[in-house]
Amino acid sequence: MFRVVAALLVSVPMSAWALVPPDYQEPPSDFTAEIEAGLQLNTGNTESSSFNGRTKLVYDTEQFRQEGTFKLYYAADDEKTTAEKYDVQLQSSYKLDNDFSWLDDGYVFGRGDFTLDRFGSYTQISTVSVGYGFDAISNSDTKLSLEIGPGYRYNMPIETELEPNPGAEKDIIVRTAAKFEQKLQEYTSLNADLTAEVGENNSTLTLDMNYKNTLFQDWAFKIGVNIKYTDIVPIGTKQTDTITTFNLLYTFQ
C-alpha cells in the first residue's frame, strides 16, 4: 500500500505542489473593522449596570478612504436609566495627486458627526464639515494627521425648569483636528484624537484617547477616555463630560 501511495505522489507534477507554497498568506484587504464592547454590573449596596459598544469600519483604497464609527453608551441603576448616548461619525476622504510635492499625503474630506444624548447638556448635536487634511508624520511606528475646514453645527439644548422649551442653536464653525497613533511595543499602542470646533455662538474641544494591548491574534484589551468641553451650556448642566471605558476589542480584515 505504501508503495502505491508513494508512486502516486511522485507522479504528481511539481508545478501542482507550487500552487500553494508553505508560507502563503492572504493578500491584504482594503476593508478593516473593529468591534469592541464592555459590560459592568454592580450588586449589593448599589444595584447598577452599564454597557458601551463601538464599531469602526474602514474601506481604504489607493484613491479613497471611507470611515464609519458607531458608539453606544448606556447605564442604569435599580430604579431608572441614568445614561443613554449614541454617536455616529462618518468621513469620506479623497486622496490628492502626489505628483505635486506640496500635496504629498494630502486629502480633502467631507464629514458628519451626529449625537443623541438623552441626559447630556445638548440632547441632539449634528455637525457637518468639509476641509483639507494631510499626514504630517507617517511611518511604521508613528502617524499624525492634521485637518482643518469650515462646517455647520446644530444643537438642541436639554429641557430644564428654567427653559422647558428651548430653541435649537445653529452655528457656522471652523473645525480643526489632530489624529495621533503611536506604536509603543509590538503588542501595545496609543491613540489620541483632539478636535476643536470654534463657532461664533459656541465652541467645543474633544479629546478621545485610548491604550490598546493585544492579548492574542486579533483580540485586544482597550482602555479609553473621552473628554468633551463645551464653552456655553444650559443653566444647571456641566461644561465637561467624561466617559471612561474598559473594553475587549476584536479586529478583522
Side-chain angles (χ1 to χ4, degrees), residues 5 11 28 30-31 47-48 65 81 90 92 97 99 102 111 113 116 120 127 141 152 193 201 207 214 225-226 247 249:
V5 174
S11 65
D30 294 332
F31 175 80
E47 300 285 342
S48 66
R65 179 181 174 88
T81 301
L90 304 172
S92 179
D97 191 349
D99 291 339
W102 62 280
R111 182 180 177 89
D113 295 84
L116 294 177
T127 305
D141 293 331
Y152 172 82
D193 292 353
N201 302 317
L207 173 63
T214 301
V225 60
N226 181 281
N247 290 351
L249 179 145

Side-chain angles (χ1 to χ4, degrees), residues 167-241:
E169 301 176 1
K170 305 173 184 179
D171 210 358
I172 300 297
I173 64 167
V174 174
R175 175 185 175 274
T176 58
K179 302 178 181 181
F180 177 74
E181 300 179 20
Q182 178 65 52
K183 185 176 181 180
L184 303 177
Q185 296 178 353
E186 183 178 0
Y187 299 108
T188 60
S189 63
L190 177 69
N191 298 275
D193 292 353
L194 182 64
T195 304
E197 296 179 359
V198 179
E200 181 180 359
N201 302 317
N202 206 349
S203 299
T204 63
L205 182 65
T206 304
L207 173 63
D208 193 357
M209 184 167 58
N210 65 77
Y211 169 82
K212 184 171 64 175
N213 184 18
T214 301
L215 301 176
F216 51 91
Q217 293 183 344
D218 299 323
W219 291 91
F221 176 69
K222 180 179 174 183
I223 301 175
V225 60
N226 181 281
I227 304 172
K228 182 175 182 179
Y229 172 84
T230 304
D231 188 27
I232 301 174
V233 297
I235 297 175
T237 63
K238 297 181 179 180
Q239 292 177 299
T240 303
D241 289 318

Side-chain angles (χ1 to χ4, degrees), residues 132-145:
Y132 170 76
F134 68 97
D135 297 329
I137 303 174
S138 183
N139 55 53
S140 58
D141 293 331
T142 306
K143 294 182 180 180
L144 175 63
S145 299

Side-chain angles (χ1 to χ4, degrees), residues 2 11 17 37 61 89 95 137 143 149 208 213 253:
F2 175 78
S11 65
W17 295 104
T61 64
Q89 301 167 349
K95 302 174 185 179
I137 303 174
K143 294 182 180 180
D208 193 357
N213 184 18
Q253 57 184 8

